[in-house]
Structure formats: C-alpha cells, structure tokens
C-alpha cells in the first residue's frame, strides 16, 4: 500500500510512524508512506498556504492552489483509489471502513488546518471525506495518523500474529473480551480460573461469552 499525506505542518506527522507497528510495516516495505509539505507548492512569495476568508470572520482558510498543485504532481506518478479529506463533518470512521481502506493500493490523505480548506477543494479535488469523531481537532494530521494506524495494522504481514487483528473489538460486531497476564494473583486480585485450565475450547467459549456480555453492556447497538 502507498499512502501520501498532504499537510502544511509535516512535523506533526513525524512521531506516529517512527515507532512500533507502523514503523515496522514501513521498514518491511509493506507500506510506503510519504508526508508532503504543502509550502513548496505555494506560488505565493512567502510560501503561504492559507489566506483570509472571503466575507470576513475569524480564522484562516487553506488555499486551493497549493493543494491542487500538490495533488496533481502526485497523480503524475500513480493512480489513486481515494483522495481523502480529513474533515469533522465527513463520513464517520469505523472498523468496517478501516477494513475497506486496508484493501486499497494508493491513498492520498489531505489534512486541513485553521478553518479548513477552500470549499472548492472539497467539491473538485477529493473523492471522499472522513471524520474520526464528532469533535473538532486543530488539524487533520492526528486524524490522518489515526486512520493510517488502524488501516495499516490490518494489512497481512504487519502484525506478527495475523489472527490478532481479527480478535480485536468490532471485527465480529463484538467488543473484545478481557485479557490478563502474569502474575495470576496480584494483591489477591485473581484472574478467572478458566484461563489457567489449559483447556483451549473452554477458554474460547469463555472469551466468546465475555465478549457477548461486554457488548451488551457497553455497545448494545453493535450487531454480531
Ligand atoms: N471549521 C471547521 C473545523 C476546522 S478544524 C468546522 O467547524 O467544521 C481544522 C482541520 O482539522 C479540518 O480541516 C480537518 O482537516 C481537521 N479535523 C478537525 N476535526 C476533525 C475530525 N473530527 N476528523 C477529521 N479531521 C478533523
């Protein structure tokens, strides 16, 4: 998979990909991820990427020209499955959308900042808009990092145990059962006996029952 992220603040995207699972996916060559700074695409003499809003009001707006030039230059090298604008009023990001996107080959993620991007970017340049939740962030960078994290870990070969992603919450319409590790008794707080039984089928049954119970309690709207 190839992901190009477009931002006016590339530094914000340095650390999420510099460690752990995402770094390994990149090092193994399973994912190619490039962060593109918008500033060099500005024809403005100060390399500005934003300007005042027409009609007045507080907050700057990201200009269409640098974004258009950046997207056009990327399109010269590859065909994109989706050009996604991270936006608080976009389609809500879910595990099912993460599954769909993890099957794509080439993605562009466009991060807004300030008041957002000139509306004409949304009308003419992007193919999809995604929100990571009903709250407003200062910029799309953290949202893009969230999206990348959740889709990259689903690509075969990224997690050391591939079945791990399948037993995570939401994959089967259920939240995950509780997990425990050593010690089995900590300050008298004991783990469920069944986990020490060595009886694989019983353990699976217990996990499934716990997942059902938790889903009923915490996410009654989910359907297995
Ligand atoms: N004025 C806009 C908010 C702009 S926030 C509004 O009221 O809708 C600045 C940028 O942060 C946005 O352009 C978007 O790229 C990003 N952003 C903010 N909240 C987000 C969210 N919940 N999901 C995805 N991106 C978000």
């Amino acid at each position: 998979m190839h992901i190009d992220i477009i931002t006016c603040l590339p530094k914000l995207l340095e650390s999420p990909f510099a460690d752990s699972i995402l770094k390994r996916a990149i090092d193994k060559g399973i994912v190619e991820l490039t962060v593109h700074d918008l500033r060099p695409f500005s024809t403005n003499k100060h390399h500005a990427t934003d300007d005042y809003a027409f009609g007045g009001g507080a907050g700057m707006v990201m200009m269409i020209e640098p974004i258009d030039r950046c997207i056009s230059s990327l399109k010269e090298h590859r065909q994109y499955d989706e050009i996604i604008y991270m936006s608080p009023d976009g389609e809500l990001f879910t595990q099912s959308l993460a599954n769909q996107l993890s099957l794509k080959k080439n993605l562009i993620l466009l991060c807004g900042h300030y008041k957002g991007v000139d509306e004409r970017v949304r009308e003419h340049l992007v193919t999809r808009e995604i929100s990571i939740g009903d709250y407003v962030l200062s910029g799309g960078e953290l949202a893009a990092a969230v999206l990348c994290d959740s889709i990259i870990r689903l690509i075969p070969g990224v997690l050391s145990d591939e079945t791990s992603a399948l037993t995570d919450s939401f994959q089967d319409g259920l939240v995950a059962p509780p997990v425990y590790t050593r010690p089995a008794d900590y300050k008298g707080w004991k783990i469920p006996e069944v986990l020490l039984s060595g009886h694989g089928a019983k353990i699976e049954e217990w996990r499934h029952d716990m997942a059902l119970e938790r889903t009923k309690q915490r996410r009654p709207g989910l359907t297995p």
Side-chain angles (χ1 to χ4, degrees), residues 62 85-89 110-117 122 130-141 143-144:
M62 287 176 65
Y85 172 50
M86 304 311 302
S87 181
D89 61 1
L110 171 64
C111 307
H113 229 87
Y114 320 110
K115 284 307 266 184
V117 297
R122 306 176 66 171
I130 296 179
S131 165
I132 62 160
D134 285 351
Y135 42 83
V136 175
L137 303 163
S138 323
E141 290 75 12

Side-chain angles (χ1 to χ4, degrees), residues 1-223:
M1 172 182 278
H2 184 96
I3 304 176
D4 288 296
I5 308 183
I6 304 175
T7 168
C8 58
L9 292 164
K11 272 195 183 158
L12 283 179
L13 285 162
E14 280 170 12
S15 65
F17 306 109
D19 216 332
S20 185
I21 291 168
L22 301 192
K23 177 175 189 294
R24 268 207 316 274
I26 293 166
D27 289 349
K28 281 196 208 164
I30 300 172
V31 177
E32 277 171 20
L33 189 143
T34 316
V35 177
H36 302 271
D37 185 357
L38 260 185
R39 287 171 73 86
F41 294 94
S42 168
T43 51
N44 179 294
K45 67 174 181 243
H46 301 296
H47 291 292
T49 53
D50 57 290
D51 207 336
Y52 295 101
F54 275 126
M60 304 298 278
V61 176
M62 287 176 65
M63 295 188 287
I64 188 168
E65 193 197 18
I67 296 173
D68 187 25
R69 294 185 66 212
C70 183
I71 292 176
S72 300
S73 83
L74 293 175
K75 278 177 156 178
E76 280 170 19
H77 303 288
R78 43 178 62 81
Q79 268 199 320
Y80 287 91
D81 298 298
E82 298 281 7
I83 301 176
I84 300 169
Y85 172 50
M86 304 311 302
S87 181
D89 61 1
E91 177 184 356
L92 269 184
F93 193 54
T94 57
Q95 189 65 36
S96 128
L97 190 44
N99 289 338
Q100 285 173 40
L101 292 176
S102 73
L103 302 173
K104 305 285 183 196
K105 252 180 81 183
N106 297 315
L107 297 176
I108 290 180
L109 306 182
L110 171 64
C111 307
H113 229 87
Y114 320 110
K115 284 307 266 184
V117 297
D118 186 308
E119 187 66 18
R120 291 166 293 181
V121 169
R122 306 176 66 171
E123 287 167 357
H124 302 288
L125 302 181
V126 304
T127 59
R128 197 159 192 168
E129 300 187 333
I130 296 179
S131 165
I132 62 160
D134 285 351
Y135 42 83
V136 175
L137 303 163
S138 323
E141 290 75 12
L142 295 179
V146 166
L147 194 135
C148 287
D149 187 317
S150 62
I151 65 181
I152 290 172
R153 66 195 294 284
L154 293 171
I155 302 172
V158 171
L159 295 184
S160 36
D161 177 359
E162 281 181 20
T163 56
S164 179
L166 299 176
T167 59
D168 284 328
S169 291
F170 311 115
Q171 284 298 10
D172 45 6
L174 296 173
V175 301
V179 290
Y180 301 86
T181 186
R182 275 182 282 261
D185 183 342
Y186 181 69
K187 294 183 175 175
W189 302 327
K190 297 199 173 84
I191 71 165
E193 281 291 323
V194 62
L195 296 177
L196 298 169
S197 67
H199 194 305
K202 264 198 193 139
I203 293 173
E204 272 323 299
E205 192 188 333
W206 176 85
R207 286 189 171 142
H208 186 66
D209 290 348
M210 293 303 286
L212 280 173
E213 197 180 311
R214 284 213 158 176
T215 306
K216 230 174 22 195
Q217 281 167 2
R218 294 171 184 232
R219 293 290 188 279
L222 283 182
T223 41

